[in-house]
C-alpha cells in the first residue's frame, strides 16, 4: 500500500492505474465498520483507495475537531492488511490551500436533523467529498448507513453535479449489544458506554411499534423518554420517509442524542408487519 499526501502523486498514480477504483472516505480512527466498507469496496473495483482526512470544515466552532482521535499509523496497518492500494492522506493545506473559496451546498436535504443542530456541517461534508471525488476520480464510493443523512446528501450531490461516481451505502455495523460502531464511541466512559445501549434499543422498540401499526407520535415520545431516562439529551428522534432519498428507500427512524460530552447518531428501517 502506498501512502500518498501530495495531489500530484495521487494524480500520477491514477493516471498510470488501469482498471476500476473504489474510494472509502474516512476521517481515520478506523474500526470494524470502516473495514466493512473497505471489504465492500474491494468487491466492487480493481483497486481501493481509502482516504483519511479529519475535515475541519465539517466541525462547528465548539465541536470535537481538536480531540477527534488521530492514529494514522494503526489505521494504515489495518488498511494495508485489508488490501487497500492507496491511503490518500492529504494535509489540511493541500485540501484547502490559501485562497480556497468554494462551498458545495445541498439545499433541503442538508438543512434539517443534523444540519439543523450542526449548522454548516453538511456544506463541509459535501465540499470535501466533492473534492475527494475530484482528486481520486473513483468509479464507486462506499459510505456507511449509520450517517444516513450524510449518505442522502452525498448521493444528491454526486447526482446533481454529474460526478459519475456510484455512491454505495453499507448497513451499519454494530457491537454485540447493538451500539453502532463509531470513532466517537471511544469518548464514552464505561458508564456512558453501558447507557449508550439504549439508543439502538429505543430505535428498535419504536421501529417495532410503528411497523406494527402503533401510534407514531406515542412511539416517538416513548423513545425520547427512554433516552432521557438513560441519561441522554435528545437532539432529535424522528421518522423520515423517502424524502431523504437514501437507499434502501422507505421509512426510517433517525436519532441523534448526547450522552456526557459525546453526540451519537443512529437510524433504523421501519418495516410494516
Ligand atoms: O463520514 C465521515 O467519516 C466523513 O463525514 C467523511 C465522509 C469522510 C467526510 O469527511
Amino acid at each position: 500500500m502506498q501512502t500518498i499526501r501530495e495531489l500530484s502523486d495521487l494524480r500520477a498514480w491514477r493516471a498510470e492505474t488501469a482498471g476500476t477504483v473504489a474510494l472509502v472516505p474516512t476521517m481515520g480512527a478506523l474500526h470494524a465498520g470502516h473495514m466493512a466498507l473497505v471489504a465492500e469496496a474491494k468487491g466492487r473495483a480493481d483497486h481501493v483507495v481509502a482516504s483519511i482526512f479529519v475535515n475541519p470544515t465539517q466541525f462547528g466552532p465548539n465541536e470535537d475537531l481538536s480531540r477527534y482521535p488521530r492514529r494514522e499509523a494503526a489505521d494504515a496497518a489495518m488498511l494495508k492488511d485489508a488490501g487497500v492500494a492507496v491511503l490518500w492522506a492529504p494535509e489540511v493545506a493541500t485540501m484547502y490551500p490559501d485562497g480556497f473559496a468554494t462551498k458545495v451546498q445541498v439545499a433541503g436535504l442538508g438543512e434539517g436533523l443534523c444540519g439543523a443542530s450542526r449548522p454548516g456541517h453538511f456544506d463541509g461534508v459535501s465540499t470535501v467529498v466533492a473534492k475527494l471525488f475530484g482528486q481520486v476520480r473513483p468509479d464507486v464510493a462506499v459510505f456507511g448507513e449509520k450517517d444516513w443523512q450524510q449518505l442522502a446528501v452525498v448521493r444528491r450531490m454526486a447526482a446533481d453535479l454529474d460526478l459519475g461516481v456510484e455512491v454505495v451505502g453499507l448497513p451499519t455495523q454494530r457491537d454485540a449489544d447493538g451500539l453502532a460502531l463509531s470513532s466517537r464511541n471511544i469518548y464514552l466512559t464505561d458508564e456512558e458506554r453501558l447507557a449508550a445501549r439504549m439508543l439502538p434499543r429505543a430505535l428498535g422498540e419504536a421501529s417495532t411499534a410503528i411497523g406494527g401499526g402503533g401510534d407514531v407520535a406515542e412511539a416517538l415520545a416513548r423513545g425520547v423518554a427512554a433516552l432521557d431516562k438513560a441519561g441522554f439529551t435528545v437532539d432529535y428522534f424522528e421518522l423520515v420517509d423517502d424524502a431523504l432519498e437514501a437507499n434502501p428507500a422507505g421509512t426510517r427512524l433517525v436519532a441523534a442524542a448526547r450522552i456526557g460530552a459525546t453526540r451519537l447518531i443512529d437510524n433504523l428501517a421501519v418495516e410494516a408487519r
Side-chain angles (χ1 to χ4, degrees), residues 3 7 46 70 78 95 107-108 112 116 123 125 149 168 174 178 182 188 201 211 222 235 239 257 261 263:
T3 297
L7 196 47
D46 300 320
R70 288 160 171 88
M78 288 164 75
M95 192 61 92
D123 297 352
V125 170
Q149 189 177 11
V168 172
R174 297 180 181 279
S182 164
L188 299 170
R201 208 174 284 176
R222 263 202 309 276
D235 189 347
L239 190 67
R263 184 175 184 277

Side-chain angles (χ1 to χ4, degrees), residues 28-225:
L30 303 181
H31 49 66
H34 293 110
M35 302 321 289
L37 303 181
V38 169
E40 179 70 23
K42 279 201 78 175
R44 289 178 175 266
D46 300 320
H47 312 276
V48 176
V49 175
S51 62
I52 295 182
F53 181 66
V54 182
N55 175 34
T57 67
Q58 70 187 75
F59 289 79
N62 299 317
E63 293 186 347
D64 56 341
L65 174 62
S66 59
R67 70 178 185 131
Y68 197 86
R70 288 160 171 88
R71 38 177 203 229
E72 192 190 298
D75 291 346
M78 288 164 75
L79 294 171
K80 184 175 177 212
D81 283 353
V84 165
V86 168
L87 166 57
W88 170 227
E91 298 295 337
V92 173
T94 303
M95 192 61 92
Y96 299 116
D98 284 348
F100 184 85
T102 300
K103 187 155 79 178
V104 179
Q105 186 168 57
V106 178
L109 276 178
E111 287 165 15
L113 304 173
C114 286
S117 12
R118 305 182 67 191
H121 169 67
F122 286 117
D123 297 352
V125 170
S126 314
T127 304
V128 82
V129 172
K131 282 180 68 75
L132 289 166
F133 284 5
Q135 293 162 347
V136 176
R137 291 190 290 107
D139 300 279
V140 55
V142 188
F143 294 80
E145 285 183 355
K146 179 179 75 68
D147 297 275
W148 186 261
Q149 189 177 11
Q150 166 173 285
L151 179 59
V153 165
V154 168
R155 271 190 210 289
R156 182 82 264 159
M157 184 270 296
D160 287 355
L161 300 182
D162 304 317
L163 298 182
V165 179
E166 184 193 355
V167 176
V168 172
L170 199 71
T172 303
Q173 307 291 307
R174 297 180 181 279
D175 271 338
D177 63 0
L179 185 68
L181 298 186
S182 164
S183 303
R184 287 189 166 99
N185 291 354
I186 63 158
Y187 296 153
L188 299 170
T189 63
D190 290 349
E191 201 184 332
E192 289 166 352
R193 175 64 190 79
L194 268 181
R197 295 178 296 182
M198 187 46 80
L199 182 56
R201 208 174 284 176
L203 284 167
E205 284 169 9
S207 169
T208 305
I210 296 168
D215 183 84
V216 172
E218 253 175 44
L220 296 180
R222 263 202 309 276
V224 171

